[in-house]
Amino acid sequence: MKPPIGSYAVDTSTGQVGRVMGHEGPYVQLRPFGGGREWECPPEALRVATTTERLRAATAYENRRSRGEVP
């Protein structure tokens, strides 16, 4: 599965939600919710993020931001 750029997916090897930034070779590039360093994930380790997972990632990011842990 190669999800469309801009969609959100879950890296099943880590459980992390990321936004699909591109497809390079056999990998999909993901960026954490709210920004940050991208990581590569093989397409077979991806699945579409549910609405609940997206909201959970957004809430976790906002909580870190409010504590001053991220810009």
Side-chain angles (χ1 to χ4, degrees):
M1 168 187 126
K2 284 199 176 182
I5 294 173
S7 64
Y8 288 90
V10 176
D11 179 343
T12 59
S13 64
T14 64
Q16 191 172 4
V17 177
R19 185 171 188 178
V20 177
M21 301 307 291
H23 306 107
E24 189 69 36
Y27 297 101
V28 176
Q29 284 74 42
L30 298 171
R31 180 171 288 161
F33 199 93
R37 186 173 179 182
E38 291 181 10
W39 77 96
E40 292 185 338
C41 181
E44 60 272 7
L46 286 178
R47 66 174 176 77
V48 175
T50 65
T51 302
T52 302
E53 289 167 326
R54 289 178 58 193
L55 289 173
R56 187 176 294 136
T59 301
Y61 170 75
E62 289 300 325
N63 287 338
R64 288 190 310 272
R65 191 178 65 77
S66 70
R67 291 189 300 262
E69 297 171 4
V70 295

